[in-house]
Amino acid sequence: MAVGRYTSFAFEWDSKPFAGQTDFHTTTAAIHASLPTYFAGQPMPALPTWRVKVTNVGKRPSDVVVMCFVSSARQGAPLRQLAAFERVHNLLPGRDQNVLLTPSPTALTTVDAEGRESILAGTHSVSCGGEPDGWVNGTLVVQGEPVTIFEMPR
């Protein structure tokens, strides 16, 4: 069966932290403490794993890339930053599949003018899904004191 390119998809949260609630709370210290776990290729307990259910509501089988973006109102932060993504292959019409997405901790960092990369407290808007089909939204709240994770040598 050939994969078509003209179909539509629907997205919804399929589990906590967002199914039935709108936010997930963590701390800068917890994210910093679990960075070695992340760089070793293991899940970070300080960050959520978002479970997004994607359904092919169109009439043709197709691939779809489910993307999660984070954004912050903090000055100097990117308007939107890709935090995680996953491709679903050949999703048949009427079928759905759950996708597990864990944000990269670097999607939550800011680099200042001196080249210092830090995890800062703040509220991040989370949007998962894809264009033109739409998004599901939530909030990731990071609390605590700023933590520097990288600094340019002087």
Side-chain angles (χ1 to χ4, degrees):
M1 184 178 289
V3 174
R5 65 182 198 133
Y6 297 106
T7 195
S8 299
F9 296 93
F11 304 97
E12 62 184 274
W13 295 122
D14 193 52
S15 70
K16 291 183 178 180
F18 293 117
Q21 63 185 51
T22 59
D23 59 3
F24 179 87
H25 293 263
T26 190
T27 66
T28 57
I31 295 170
H32 185 253
S34 60
L35 281 176
T37 304
Y38 171 76
F39 291 120
Q42 299 173 14
M44 287 184 64
L47 290 174
T49 295
W50 299 312
R51 187 175 171 129
V52 178
K53 179 178 164 184
V54 57
T55 304
N56 184 339
V57 295
K59 296 181 180 181
R60 302 184 72 125
S62 185
D63 288 9
V64 61
V65 177
V66 182
M67 299 174 286
C68 283
F69 290 91
V70 295
S71 60
S72 172
R74 184 176 42 251
Q75 186 166 346
L79 294 177
R80 253 181 11 164
Q81 186 163 339
L82 183 63
F85 66 93
E86 183 71 35
R87 176 179 288 275
V88 175
H89 296 279
N90 200 31
L91 189 59
L92 300 174
R95 302 295 298 263
D96 59 62
Q97 185 170 329
N98 292 322
V99 177
L100 300 176
L101 300 153
T102 301
S104 162
T106 56
L108 305 174
T109 63
T110 301
V111 179
D112 65 17
E114 287 81 39
R116 186 177 317 119
E117 184 176 15
S118 300
I119 303 167
L120 304 174
T123 300
H124 302 269
S125 296
V126 177
S127 299
C128 294
E131 292 292 342
D133 299 306
W135 304 91
V136 291
N137 300 296
T139 304
L140 175 59
V141 179
V142 180
Q143 299 169 324
E145 295 299 315
V147 176
T148 299
I149 62 170
F150 177 79
E151 196 163 350
M152 292 292 290
R154 297 185 189 252

